[in-house]
Amino acid sequence: MRHHHPLARTVVITAIALVFGAWSESPAAGSRTPPPGTTLDNVRLPLLAGGARDLLGQKTIDALIFLRPDQDHSKTSVARIAEVEKELGNKVRWTAVVGTRFKKDQIDKLLAGSGLAAPVTLDKDGAYRNRLGVVLEPMVVIVSRDHKLVGLQAYHQVNYAPLLRARLRHALGEIDDAELARIVDPPANGKAMNKEDAKAHRYIKLAARYLAQGKHDKAVAAARKAITHDASIALAHVLEGEGLAAGGDCKSALAAFERALAIDARDARAIAGKKKCAKGA
Amino acid sequence: MSRAPAAAALTAICATTLIALLPATAAAKGLGGLGPHEAKDAKSSHAAFEDGDCSICHKRADAKNPGPVRTPINDVCFECHDDFPDMMKKFKVQHGALKKGCTGCHNPHNSPEVHLLRMGMPGLCLRCHDGIQKKMNLPVKHNALTDGAACANCHEPHASNVEKLLKRLPFDLCVNCHSKDKMTDESGNKLTNIKDLLDKNKVHHSPVADKDCSACHTPHGGEKFRLLIESYPAKFYSGFSAGNYALCFGCHDEEAMRAPETTSATNFRHGKRNLHYLHVNKAERGRTCRACHEVHASKQAFQLRDGVPYGKKGWILKMNFSKNPNGGTCAKTCHAAKTYVNRKGK
């Protein structure tokens, strides 16, 4: 297999020279990467499997995967990248880029069993990698449909696939900035309820259970425990009322229903309970 | 007769009966069984149990013979703990133990542990996560695993949006503790207040900027100092080998240290003469990464230090680096001022 055709070599050298001229020399904070929004010239690189490939497609989102076969993170990352590749299907155009200092068998070994379908291109002496300012690998470089640099996604031990997926989906316009931010920097779970609310909620459930079993006294006791934790929940008063009414104490039940209606004047169960007790009182 | 003593009496009957009936094997294995504990030993108690009516969860109200639970155990729990199914749908990473049932971890009656846990952490978690126990047995320990809430210091026990059931990204968890001035390791060596360091030094190493402390540190226990995942020289000088720098080469290309000449592996070069190779790649007194670079954050580009502690008394050897349009200069440091040029001038 020949992947160092003289013509291909000329194309590569010319393209890289164009790229060298086109990009600005303004790395930020020590980074060699051009800033997001920089237009990248297209480069044609030889393929490991033979032939050549333009690194950037036509009106596609491109993901350029820079890998190093002798590196553990590259080995770990390819399977994770393959997951995202599979999920996003043809919406993203994937290309792997490996330096020519690595042999074919090293590259094959890296990719074996990973599930990564992206074609592998060969970057002579890492020149294109260097020009893009990629100093770490594995690195996924994301490029927009009009060949502008969107950003770089380095490997992470935690949340790598979700991050990569989110950045690509953001580039595709499928998620907005807020959603991307939630994935890049996930908030803590938080509590659905504060402690007192949670206790009140549990006692309400207990009261409902007792009521269903016909254990009216216990239902009233549980409802009252809910009320001690949070008296502002109409349902707690409703359950107290229903328990009292079922036990024959309509006078006390009416008071409980009134308390529920004071919280929520449209509570259907409180209205029904009050009506029933008023008839029977 | 008031209700409270009657309920307490029923609870006591339940407890005594169930303790007698339930097999001892689970307890013998170290994991508390599912039966109720003596009230005096209970640190947490389930309201449903305290109420004294077994039929809340079981088929019968008979404390001596309550029978099995009414429905599959999780369904019983979710009748009251109805926020859990919603939470499970909301968070993408779910604890596999949940599928086995809530009682895998929780005693539904009472417990000498908090949150009705059948066993304290980390012991409870290590019953399944025995790989973590192996890491905890390694010489360099992480107190976060045994202090305070143990595993729950960092992990959600049910579900999370962060892989490995972390509560937040690693950095946010780590800095929770590593933001104190007087923290020391087991040998009494002072540990860096990372929050303070990052506030004062705005150029952050990529893994730090990405909140990925686990890029370099193993959180459960390890063999290397500072819980590093790979080798990294501890001193100013070291003989060069890829193994010595395995931590850095996990991301950085070792070609930058190996190739005497390059125009692509590094921009720390004078023309094609590789200055990383010149400084680092020596059989004995190679300058290690820490000679010039900060590992977490710095004030200068390229994570360059302002100065490095040198010698036994820790005298600060200044680097006096300045970036030039075509390269850079280090002055009055290990050597007299030297300038490198890595690109053509304008």
Side-chain angles (χ1 to χ4, degrees), chain B residues 236-240 245 279-288:
Chain B
F236 189 92
Y237 291 112
S238 173
F240 178 77
Y245 294 93
H279 283 81
V280 176
N281 197 324
K282 297 181 189 304
E284 289 179 8
R285 285 169 68 86
R287 279 72 176 165
T288 62

Side-chain angles (χ1 to χ4, degrees), chain B residues 78-96:
Chain B
F78 294 159
E79 280 179 9
C80 290
H81 296 270
D82 57 356
D83 49 331
F84 267 76
D86 284 343
M87 180 191 69
M88 300 299 288
K89 285 178 200 165
K90 191 176 157 189
F91 298 113
K92 292 172 188 165
V93 184
Q94 297 178 4
H95 195 182

